[in-house]
Amino acid sequence: MIEFMKKNIRNTVCMLAIAISAISMAACSSDEETDNSATFHGQQDEPRLCIYAAMPTETRGAGGALFTEDDIEWFNVSTRELRFRNTMEPLRDRLQVLGSIDFYLDGEMLFTGGATFVSLICSQVFHDLVLCCGKIDGNTIDMNHYYLNDSYPDFVNDEQVQANRSRRAPQWEKFIGYLKSQGKLR
């Protein structure tokens, strides 16, 4: 009887090991499929302009684009306001303040080094590209619109900001030119 029980226990342990192996291999296979499906660039049906959260611990695009050209209603070159369609969930609910975002045009990073997402509650100064939720204009506070600026606060205009602006000039030309070709400039 004891020999019979040992044999049954051994068979049960072997079956459990095989089941655990199969589940592990299926999970690994599933992860690989997820990683492959997260490759957005080069797909014919993808929008040409895509913006992703830059998350170093995750594959870019694994959660999908934050927004694409389809979400952009228009961009105002003089005010730098980036207006989104009403159907879009607010970015401020999808991004962490001070989080990095990357702009891609035709699969290539558009603004080298990306941009930082800030809001009016931020007390830090940025000398480089920011996507800001809100704007203060005199006594008017606007918390519901987005602005793509060369610095934050937008009135900072020192040598570092000017150097970064000059360095990004060709990238801005591509961005504006593309939005113009799509009829999204204001």
Side-chain angles (χ1 to χ4, degrees):
M1 179 75 166
I2 293 177
E3 195 60 40
F4 176 74
M5 288 176 62
K6 284 183 183 177
K7 188 175 181 179
N8 278 343
I9 291 172
R10 197 171 344 148
N11 287 344
T12 303
V13 168
C14 285
M15 290 173 61
L16 279 172
I18 291 170
I20 290 170
S21 267
I23 290 169
S24 295
M25 289 191 315
C28 289
S29 171
S30 174
D31 288 345
E32 288 171 12
E33 290 171 15
T34 300
D35 287 346
N36 289 339
S37 66
T39 305
F40 289 92
H41 300 299
Q43 295 178 2
Q44 291 179 339
D45 58 346
E46 99 170 0
R48 292 181 57 201
L49 178 64
C50 296
I51 294 76
Y52 300 94
M55 298 180 190
T57 59
E58 295 181 22
T59 303
R60 179 185 46 74
L66 286 171
F67 60 93
T68 70
E69 64 192 58
D70 297 333
D71 299 310
I72 297 171
E73 189 172 333
W74 48 259
F75 178 71
N76 186 320
V77 178
S78 60
T79 65
R80 297 283 182 92
E81 182 179 356
L82 188 58
R83 178 65 61 95
F84 296 105
R85 299 191 184 286
N86 293 335
T87 58
M88 188 178 167
E89 175 187 354
L91 281 178
R92 66 179 173 267
D93 295 342
R94 299 170 62 196
L95 273 170
Q96 282 186 316
V97 173
L98 305 183
S100 295
I101 54 177
D102 294 330
F103 288 70
Y104 283 83
L105 181 61
D106 292 330
E108 300 290 323
M109 187 177 279
L110 180 61
F111 294 113
T112 308
T116 303
F117 181 70
V118 299
S119 71
L120 294 180
I121 65 168
C122 185
S123 61
Q124 199 171 347
V125 174
F126 290 87
H127 299 269
D128 213 347
L129 191 64
V130 295
L131 179 62
C132 183
C133 178
K135 185 175 188 167
I136 298 174
D137 189 12
N139 292 329
T140 305
I141 299 175
D142 166 20
M143 294 294 290
N144 296 315
H145 297 105
Y146 298 90
Y147 300 86
L148 193 55
N149 294 317
D150 290 313
S151 64
Y152 177 83
D154 63 349
F155 59 79
V156 174
N157 192 22
D158 60 15
E159 289 179 21
Q160 189 176 358
V161 171
Q162 291 174 22
N164 288 333
R165 186 179 297 128
S166 294
R167 179 179 51 87
R168 287 191 191 277
Q171 298 161 354
W172 271 110
E173 285 180 32
K174 282 183 186 177
F175 179 70
I176 291 169
Y178 180 72
L179 290 178
K180 182 177 184 179
S181 74
Q182 300 300 304
K184 295 184 182 248
L185 281 189
R186 205 170 218 209

